[in-house]
Structure formats: C-alpha cells, structure tokens
Amino acid sequence: MRKIIAQENETGKIYARGYDKDGRAILYLHPGLENSNNEMNNMRHLVYSLERAIAATAKKSGREKFNIVISYKGFKLKNAPAISVVRHTVDILQNHYPER
C-alpha cells in the first residue's frame, strides 16, 4: 500500500495542507496533475488523503470536518480522469464522507 500511495503522490494531485480559522484541515485536489489511470489506486489514494485530512482536523480542533479546494490550473482533457473515476470519487464522497 505504501508503494501505491507514493506513486499516486508523485505529482501532488491530492494533499492536505494547512487549516482554516476554525481548525479544519484543507484538502487540495489538482486534477490537472493526474499521473495514473489505475482507478483502484486512485481511489485508495483519495481515501488515504481524506482520512489524513480528518485525522489532522481531529488533532488540531477535535472536529471531523474538513475543506476541499479544487484547482483546475493546468487541467486539460488529455489528463482528465476517466468518467468512471469521477463517478467513483463522487460515490465515495457522498456515501462515505457526507457532511465532512
């Protein structure tokens, strides 16, 4: 698993950094930096990043909510995730991380 996360992390497409004024972690998503087309590894990386954001928030403020910021800088259709990845991402966010 560590190798998968390291590979998916190479471009910095998803990372948690900093907090808002209420102590909630900020999770940054950069779809323009997509570097793989393995859907399951993308989802593992997403869940890993979401859990890190939750853990960071809990450590800082005792809460579980976090913020997501999406930057489309450098985004092109040629490096866009497949529609199945987008659907899977939305499914994970809606069904496993509602109101976070």
Side-chain angles (χ1 to χ4, degrees):
M1 184 65 139
R2 189 177 297 230
K3 186 177 179 181
I4 291 169
I5 299 302
Q7 179 185 359
E8 293 291 327
N9 249 350
E10 284 177 350
T11 61
K13 63 184 174 185
I14 303 175
Y15 59 89
R17 181 107 358 97
Y19 300 91
D20 69 5
K21 64 182 174 106
D22 295 321
R24 295 176 295 214
I26 303 171
L27 185 67
Y28 295 90
L29 281 65
H30 298 273
L33 299 176
E34 183 58 59
N35 64 332
S36 74
N37 56 7
N38 184 314
E39 182 173 343
M40 288 312 296
N41 287 351
N42 276 324
M43 295 305 105
R44 287 181 181 107
H45 183 240
L46 173 66
V47 170
Y48 171 81
S49 299
L50 291 167
E51 292 295 331
R52 282 190 51 120
I54 292 167
T57 298
K59 185 176 180 181
K60 174 90 172 176
S61 66
R63 300 175 183 197
E64 291 188 343
K65 292 191 178 200
F66 57 91
N67 296 300
I68 295 178
V69 176
I70 304 174
S71 170
Y72 286 98
K73 181 179 180 181
F75 179 79
K76 294 184 172 92
L77 287 178
K78 71 176 185 172
N79 59 356
I83 193 69
S84 62
V85 172
V86 174
R87 285 185 182 139
H88 203 164
T89 299
V90 170
D91 178 67
I92 287 172
L93 292 172
Q94 285 180 335
N95 296 318
H96 301 283
Y97 296 92
E99 295 193 30
R100 294 259 176 130

